[in-house]
Amino acid sequence: MNKQSKVETLISLLKVATRIANPMRDGVADPESVTTIELRIILLLGGEGALAGHELADYMAVQPMNISRALVRLSQLGLLEIVDNTGNRRRKPYQLTPSGSLRYHNILGRMAQVADFVFDGLDAEARDQAANLLQRLDEQLKVWPEGGF
């Protein structure tokens, strides 16, 4: 087995994260007539619940202006709505509308086809190992110090 340094492993992870963008765009975003940023917003709101624009920008590591444009378009499409947040008027959380929730579930169906392709050839044990590793990495990344080292 190939012994990689931590940096080489990180580069491999970045390659996979970059390469997954094409199947997600071609197999999910384009057929749903949304951009990849809009797709990621729908997935985040569908999975995490209501989030404000700045929270989406931080979570996705995307410029706030790009998030703002995507939120406007998704709202115009009737997929998002602003949540009443009278207790904190500076925070404007968005959530999926019923139409947005339906779209979210359609997207998950398309993602199943991409998942079949991506994980083709891996047995259930290998998929479980990958899922566990990804969950551990996600937990580690959640405690990244703000502003870096």
Side-chain angles (χ1 to χ4, degrees):
M1 183 140 214
N2 185 13
K3 297 270 185 182
Q4 288 189 329
S5 71
K6 288 179 182 178
V7 171
E8 291 169 324
T9 303
L10 179 60
I11 290 169
S12 294
L13 180 61
L14 290 169
K15 278 182 177 178
V16 170
T18 300
R19 287 196 177 137
I20 195 73
N22 286 337
M24 289 299 294
R25 182 195 62 221
D26 297 344
V28 183
D30 286 354
E32 290 291 331
S33 300
V34 295
T35 67
T36 54
I37 290 177
E38 292 164 352
L39 172 66
R40 290 172 61 197
I41 289 171
I42 292 168
L43 290 171
L44 265 172
L45 296 178
E48 302 293 325
L51 294 167
H54 71 278
E55 294 165 330
L56 289 163
D58 288 345
Y59 196 98
M60 294 170 53
V62 172
Q63 292 295 320
M65 181 54 75
N66 293 336
I67 295 294
S68 179
R69 283 189 201 114
L71 290 172
V72 167
R73 181 164 183 276
L74 291 170
S75 295
Q76 290 171 343
L77 292 172
L79 302 177
L80 300 184
E81 62 189 1
I82 296 174
V83 177
D84 180 29
N85 193 24
T86 54
N88 183 354
R89 292 180 187 223
R90 290 175 41 173
R91 181 178 180 268
K92 288 179 19 181
Y94 288 81
Q95 67 183 10
L96 296 176
T97 61
S99 178
S101 292
L102 180 61
R103 180 73 70 95
Y104 170 72
H105 290 289
N106 289 342
I107 286 169
L108 293 180
R110 290 187 189 279
M111 288 180 68
Q113 295 173 326
V114 174
D116 286 344
F117 171 79
V118 171
F119 297 111
D120 186 43
L122 294 182
D123 62 21
E125 183 178 349
R127 287 192 313 272
D128 287 346
Q129 289 173 345
N132 289 333
L133 177 61
L134 290 170
Q135 184 175 4
R136 287 177 58 194
L137 291 172
D138 187 47
E139 292 301 318
Q140 180 64 27
L141 291 169
K142 287 178 184 177
V143 297
W144 174 258
E146 189 172 328
F149 300 115

